[in-house]
Amino acid sequence: MEIFDYDHVLLLPRKCRVESRSECDTSVQFGPRSFKLPAVPANMKTVVDEPLCIWLAQNDYFYVMHRFDLDTVAFVRRMHELGLYASISLGIKEQDRATVDALAAQGLVPDYITIDIAHGHADSVKHMIWHIKDKLPQSFVIAGNVGTPEAVIDVENWGADATKVGIGPGKVCITKLKTGFGTGGWQLSAVKWCARVATKPLIADGGIRSHGDIAKSIRFGATMVMVGALFAGHEESPGRTVEVDGELFKEYYGSASDFNKGEYRHVEGKRILEPIKGKLADTLLEMQQDLQSSISYSGGRALMDIRKVNYVILGGDNNAEHLLM
Ligand SMILES: NC(=O)C1=CN([C@@H]2O[C@H](COP(=O)(O)OP(=O)(O)OC[C@H]3O[C@@H](n4cnc5c(N)ncnc54)[C@H](OP(=O)(O)O)[C@@H]3O)[C@@H](O)[C@H]2O)C=CC1
Ligand SMILES: Nc1nc2c(ncn2[C@@H]2O[C@H](COP(=O)(O)O)[C@@H](O)[C@H]2O)c(=O)[nH]1
């Protein structure tokens, strides 16, 4: 198996088929809906909050609300009252099963439910998928996180509609250091490896550092990418604003950090400060334009045309080591 990460790969251009990059369509079908971009802000407390979810839904972007310190039932009700789709996160504990029961009892059907735990290749996830499929069969279920093909096969067989791939590649993740496990450092090839067996969509989660990494994720089999750090430092980001030597930063912390958990127990995340980089809408627009360029370099017009291109893996000295056809 080839091992590489985003920085070690470059995609190879094919003859251009458009006269303007504006002809390139970045939209993606994901579950029951189509979205402007194959990128979703991470379901973390310092990345999304309710106002951002409303804005994203109103503007045809995919969002996943986080699951921390939140009345998830009320959130779904409010989104539906606004005529917007509802996309929530759940864990696998008794309280999460109760949330599913309450939603079903009140006739509130979230359009998307993400089961979000550190080690998603687990019977607890299987039982949660079954519970959701029993009570809310119309919801599109995303399960994770996983990092191996065996896990993707299991999660799909348990009934998940999509799988989230990435154990420890995140910017505020310390799983690799604390446990010795994960896909940190080789996330892109883990996505490729998982995509070989996947029969349903994959979300590549963690490690996206540049807009070009989105095209690379699509090339290696992702349908959507989940992005934390790149989205965290915006004016609208929910993290606390911190001033250091006259410069403004936003707090960005891991969901498994003591800052999120409120206690130092099974901590696998840390806190960092992201420099504030303007408005989220501007970044999303730039991301879309960059992805349109990616599509044009791929010689295509549609997002999935990126899947057709060849690539090189760069050696340590930055020389092309392999040309893979
Ligand atoms: N993508 C990634 O690499 C990672 C992401 N995270 C994020 O952090 C958040 C908190 O995650 P998590 O720690 O799962 O939080 P939770 O406390 O919500 O854990 C969910 C449940 O899973 C159990 N659990 C968690 N990890 C394991 C494990 N390795 N083996 C067996 N059981 C486990 C927990 O029990 P108990 O606590 O008693 O073990 C708990 O009952 C999530 O949003 C998750 O996505 C966390 C780590 C890695
Ligand atoms: N190991 C941990 N991973 C975490 C934690 N909190 C979130 N995450 C994962 O990171 C991505 C975002 O990655 P980024 O590189 O784009 O910043 C997020 O979607 C989660 O999967 C954590 O505490 N520990």
Side-chain angles (χ1 to χ4, degrees):
M1 190 178 75
E2 301 151 352
I3 298 296
F4 50 82
D5 212 343
Y6 291 100
D7 281 349
H8 313 134
V9 162
L10 277 176
L11 305 178
L12 295 183
R14 299 199 313 162
K15 183 168 180 291
C16 186
R17 288 184 200 178
V18 291
E19 291 197 1
S20 160
R21 284 166 284 204
S22 59
E23 292 169 42
C24 297
D25 180 5
T26 61
S27 69
V28 65
Q29 184 73 35
F30 186 70
R33 289 179 169 263
S34 166
F35 300 101
K36 257 185 214 166
L37 269 182
V40 59
N43 49 346
M44 299 165 70
K45 255 171 96 172
T46 48
V47 178
V48 283
D49 58 5
E50 188 165 328
L52 262 181
C53 290
I54 291 172
W55 185 87
L56 290 162
Q58 284 171 335
N59 288 277
D60 293 328
Y61 294 107
F62 187 41
Y63 78 87
V64 181
M65 183 54 174
H66 64 74
R67 64 180 170 91
F68 308 106
D69 310 316
L70 178 79
D71 182 340
T72 299
V73 175
F75 173 81
V76 173
R77 187 181 308 109
R78 286 194 292 274
M79 294 305 278
H80 282 175
E81 279 167 3
L82 290 169
L84 300 170
Y85 72 91
S87 173
I88 58 164
S89 301
L90 292 173
I92 43 79
K93 294 182 180 167
E94 199 42 53
Q95 73 214 41
D96 302 295
R97 297 169 71 86
T99 299
V100 172
D101 295 344
L103 287 165
Q106 296 179 41
L108 292 167
V109 181
D111 304 69
Y112 298 85
I113 299 178
T114 299
I115 303 172
D116 163 50
I117 66 164
H119 188 6
H121 192 193
D123 280 341
S124 57
V125 168
K126 173 172 73 179
H127 294 131
M128 193 62 185
I129 295 171
W130 289 353
H131 190 63
I132 295 169
K133 288 293 176 186
D134 179 36
K135 297 287 171 90
L136 298 166
Q138 260 130 33
S139 293
F140 184 90
V141 176
I142 301 158
N145 274 22
V146 305
T148 61
E150 304 90 81
V152 173
I153 291 168
D154 277 348
V155 164
E156 287 191 354
N157 285 339
W158 297 337
D161 300 300
T163 311
K164 198 143 67 73
V165 176
I167 304 282
K171 191 161 179 184
V172 286
C173 166
I174 53 172
T175 297
K176 184 167 76 175
L177 304 175
K178 295 271 275 180
T179 73
F181 281 78
T183 59
W186 63 288
Q187 166 71 357
L188 187 58
S189 50
V191 170
K192 180 184 177 209
W193 196 33
C194 289
R196 286 236 168 105
V197 300
T199 62
K200 300 174 184 178
L202 293 184
I203 300 181
D205 179 12
I208 300 289
R209 300 286 168 264
S210 320
H211 295 181
D213 295 345
I214 300 173
K216 293 178 187 179
S217 305
I218 301 290
R219 165 61 183 82
F220 290 101
T223 297
M224 180 72 70
V225 298
M226 182 167 263
V227 179
L230 269 192
F231 282 140
H234 286 87
E235 288 169 20
E236 311 88 331
S237 301
R240 208 161 45 93
T241 303
V242 178
E243 188 178 334
V244 181
D245 298 333
E247 206 185 330
L248 292 180
F249 295 84
K250 282 276 180 164
E251 188 178 45
Y252 175 45
Y253 54 71
S255 302
S257 69
D258 42 339
F259 299 93
N260 199 60
K261 290 185 169 207
E263 59 174 341
Y264 201 92
R265 184 178 169 274
H266 288 304
V267 162
E268 289 183 28
K270 62 180 180 182
R271 185 190 84 126
I272 61 172
L273 296 177
E274 283 287 324
I276 295 188
K277 42 190 173 264
K279 295 215 169 295
L280 184 69
D282 294 335
T283 295
L284 286 165
L285 182 61
E286 185 181 341
M287 204 175 256
Q288 182 171 11
Q289 290 172 353
D290 290 343
L291 196 51
Q292 285 179 310
S293 291
S294 302
I295 295 169
S296 80
Y297 282 118
S298 80
R301 291 174 176 277
L303 183 69
M304 291 304 160
D305 288 329
I306 294 173
R307 293 246 173 109
K308 298 172 189 160
V309 304
N310 292 320
Y311 61 95
V312 291
I313 302 179
L314 304 173
D317 56 0
N318 249 17
N319 291 323
E321 240 176 23
H322 303 290
L323 179 61
L324 295 134
M325 299 298 182

